[in-house]
Amino acid sequence: MGFSSNSLSGSVPPSLSKLSDLESLSLGENILSGPLQLDSFLKLRKLSDLDLGNNMISLLIDETKIDPNTTLPKFYSLAFAHCNLSKFPKFIGHQTNLVELDLSYNNIVGQIPQNLMSIQTLEAIHLSNNWITGFHNHTIKLPWSSLHLLEMQDNSLQGQLPIPPSSIKHYDVSNNNLSGEIPMSICNLTSIAVLDLSSNNFSGEFPSCLGSLINNDSLIALNLRNNSFHGTIPLECQQESELSMVDFSHNHFQGKLRRPISTCMNLEYLDFSFNQISDVFPTWLGSFPLLKVVMLRANKFHGVIRKPQSTITEFPRLQIIDVSHNYFTGALPHEYMLIWNAMKDFKLSNLTYMNAWENDTLTIIACLDKKIVSSYLAACDFVEDIIMWERTFLCLIFYFGGF
């Protein structure tokens, strides 16, 4: 029974819990409200999929009325996002067939309990936007052997980075309080497509095996933004690499940018801003055929930006570039303005290349994260050349000299 993604309002009808043969109930993404006692739904023995999430429901669970020795429904998926929960429901720990669990956007406090960590059938876990501090017994090596997706962003995770199993494809622990160095075991994630470690307190150098992580045929997006990493930026791409975005901004990376041995054929978004990189302008980035966004703001780049050697092959898709707050000298390389034809066709509706980051929207100048849009709007105070057409926006940000 599916009623999701509508504008249904009012309370959930109690009569739904009387449908003894009900196998699936989806009420997610409506505007249903009020308290809802879950106990009555746990009596529906055939129920396998239950979605009550993303409403304005306050889900009530009387654990004293749930006897784990009785037959509970064998759920395949449970979605209780935005249900005003303050702790992990105990009955979930008795599920043996559960594949997907969504408890995001609640008020759950404390550690993930042991019984939840013992459910080996889980493939997707959504726990973002809670107050979760870690895992039972401070576990670092996570146990779910079939896990493909783990979202724990915007929590209160502390300590070392928990390492998921090698089956993981999407791992997001951004906006937490994790710290320390990244363990070498992260390079065992050979199936990873999206890895977001941004906005934590990680430090040290990223493991040297990062190159092999980038070069596997699955990694699409890597976000290390807003940590305390140092050392040189390890950007290596094989031509068959699927990597389309990297964000190493707001760290302490230094030294020169090492030119990859091979061209990063699929790279579209590159942000190295707010580091301590000391180098001349990396003209070799112009050989990346799909590169659309280049952010080098607030580093120690220096010297003259030379004229393009080719009017066809250098930065053929570039739409956004920010090299402000560096130490460049000499004349503004206006020849680039003549060959950056992709900017002339720059329409907001065409910016689809950041879709790897779910739930974020590109606005105005293709900022990856809604939280940093305002900072790039502020950056336009330094704009030296703005051309606007109907539904078209071009923002070239060049600021020559130091701070």
Side-chain angles (χ1 to χ4, degrees):
M1 186 179 294
F3 296 99
S4 61
S5 301
N6 282 288
S7 297
L8 300 175
S9 59
S11 59
V12 176
S15 55
L16 287 174
S17 63
K18 306 297 182 183
L19 303 176
S20 58
D21 291 327
L22 188 64
E23 296 181 0
S24 176
L25 177 60
S26 180
L27 299 175
E29 298 183 19
N30 282 284
I31 48 177
L32 298 168
S33 59
L36 176 63
Q37 198 72 38
L38 184 63
D39 311 4
S40 54
F41 286 96
L42 298 183
K43 297 175 182 178
L44 302 177
R45 301 290 183 249
K46 297 182 180 180
L47 190 61
S48 62
D49 298 279
L50 180 58
D51 181 2
L52 303 174
N54 296 301
N55 285 282
M56 294 182 288
I57 293 171
S58 293
L59 198 59
L60 305 178
I61 306 174
D62 188 349
E63 303 284 1
T64 62
K65 293 183 179 180
I66 302 174
D67 183 359
N69 296 317
T70 62
T71 304
L72 292 170
K74 293 183 178 180
F75 287 106
Y76 179 87
S77 67
L78 289 170
F80 298 153
H82 279 286
C83 280
N84 221 8
L85 295 170
S86 59
K87 60 182 180 180
F88 288 97
K90 290 182 180 180
F91 81 92
I92 295 177
H94 299 283
Q95 296 297 311
T96 56
N97 296 336
L98 192 62
V99 171
E100 182 167 10
L101 175 64
D102 187 353
L103 298 177
S104 58
Y105 291 91
N106 281 289
N107 297 301
I108 298 174
V109 179
Q111 292 186 340
I112 295 175
Q114 184 178 16
N115 57 10
L116 178 55
M117 294 173 62
S118 66
I119 304 175
Q120 290 301 307
T121 52
L122 279 168
E123 295 181 7
I125 303 175
H126 310 263
L127 296 175
S128 66
N129 295 84
N130 281 284
W131 301 97
I132 299 169
T133 56
F135 297 82
H136 176 72
N137 279 346
H138 306 285
T139 301
I140 299 300
K141 184 179 180 180
L142 302 185
W144 299 290
S145 58
S146 301
L147 196 64
H148 293 159
L149 181 147
L150 179 57
E151 292 183 334
M152 296 198 66
Q153 66 270 28
D154 295 286
N155 274 283
S156 300
L157 297 177
Q158 301 173 6
Q160 290 181 294
L161 175 68
I163 301 297
S166 58
S167 59
I168 198 75
K169 295 181 179 180
H170 183 121
Y171 186 36
D172 189 346
V173 289
S174 60
N175 294 297
N176 278 284
N177 298 312
L178 295 168
S179 59
E181 297 188 0
I182 305 299
M184 289 289 290
S185 54
I186 196 170
C187 295
N188 295 328
L189 307 184
T190 53
S191 300
I192 192 74
V194 174
L195 178 60
D196 191 346
L197 308 182
S198 62
S199 298
N200 279 282
N201 298 309
F202 294 122
S203 58
E205 296 189 22
F206 206 88
S208 57
C209 58
L210 176 62
S212 61
L213 196 65
I214 291 175
N215 285 330
N216 70 40
D217 57 4
S218 59
L219 187 64
I220 297 173
L222 175 61
N223 192 353
L224 306 182
R225 174 185 173 87
N226 196 25
N227 281 285
S228 296
F229 292 115
H230 66 263
T232 57
I233 287 182
L235 181 62
E236 290 291 342
C237 296
Q238 300 291 342
Q239 287 196 357
E240 62 270 20
S241 171
E242 294 296 323
L243 187 68
S244 63
M245 77 80 57
V246 291
D247 189 345
F248 292 173
S249 65
H250 294 267
N251 279 283
H252 304 298
F253 289 110
Q254 67 265 27
K256 293 185 176 183
L257 285 179
R258 293 181 296 178
R259 180 173 183 167
I261 297 175
S262 301
T263 300
C264 299
M265 298 298 293
N266 293 300
L267 191 63
E268 300 183 20
Y269 182 104
L270 180 150
D271 191 348
F272 294 160
S273 57
F274 294 92
N275 280 286
Q276 300 167 28
I277 303 168
S278 180
D279 205 346
V280 296
F281 182 72
T283 53
W284 45 268
L285 288 174
S287 66
F288 294 3
L290 300 183
L291 192 58
K292 298 177 183 179
V293 179
V294 176
M295 299 294 187
L296 303 177
R297 177 186 176 93
N299 278 282
K300 296 180 181 180
F301 287 100
H302 54 271
V304 176
I305 301 178
R306 67 163 179 81
K307 297 178 182 180
Q309 294 181 340
S310 169
T311 60
I312 300 175
T313 59
E314 289 197 31
F315 297 103
R317 298 286 185 90
L318 191 66
Q319 295 176 344
I320 305 293
I321 182 168
D322 183 352
V323 297
S324 62
H325 292 287
N326 280 285
Y327 298 90
F328 291 117
T329 57
L332 185 70
H334 64 277
E335 291 86 359
Y336 277 118
M337 317 307 167
L338 301 177
I339 66 172
W340 285 341
N341 294 319
M343 293 184 178
K344 300 174 185 177
D345 299 321
F346 177 27
K347 289 183 173 59
L348 297 180
S349 59
N350 293 336
L351 292 176
T352 59
Y353 51 91
M354 297 311 300
N355 288 342
W357 297 100
E358 297 178 337
N359 302 321
D360 283 331
T361 312
L362 279 100
T363 54
I364 302 184
I365 58 172
C367 293
L368 169 64
D369 189 331
K370 286 186 284 188
K371 298 175 183 176
I372 62 173
V373 168
S374 58
S375 68
Y376 279 103
L377 288 176
C380 288
D381 291 339
F382 304 104
V383 170
E384 297 197 4
D385 191 355
I386 298 180
I387 305 172
M388 297 194 70
W389 297 274
E390 182 181 2
R391 294 181 60 80
T392 304
F393 186 94
L394 167 63
C395 183
L396 301 180
I397 306 172
F398 287 92
Y399 185 80
F400 285 79
F403 287 98

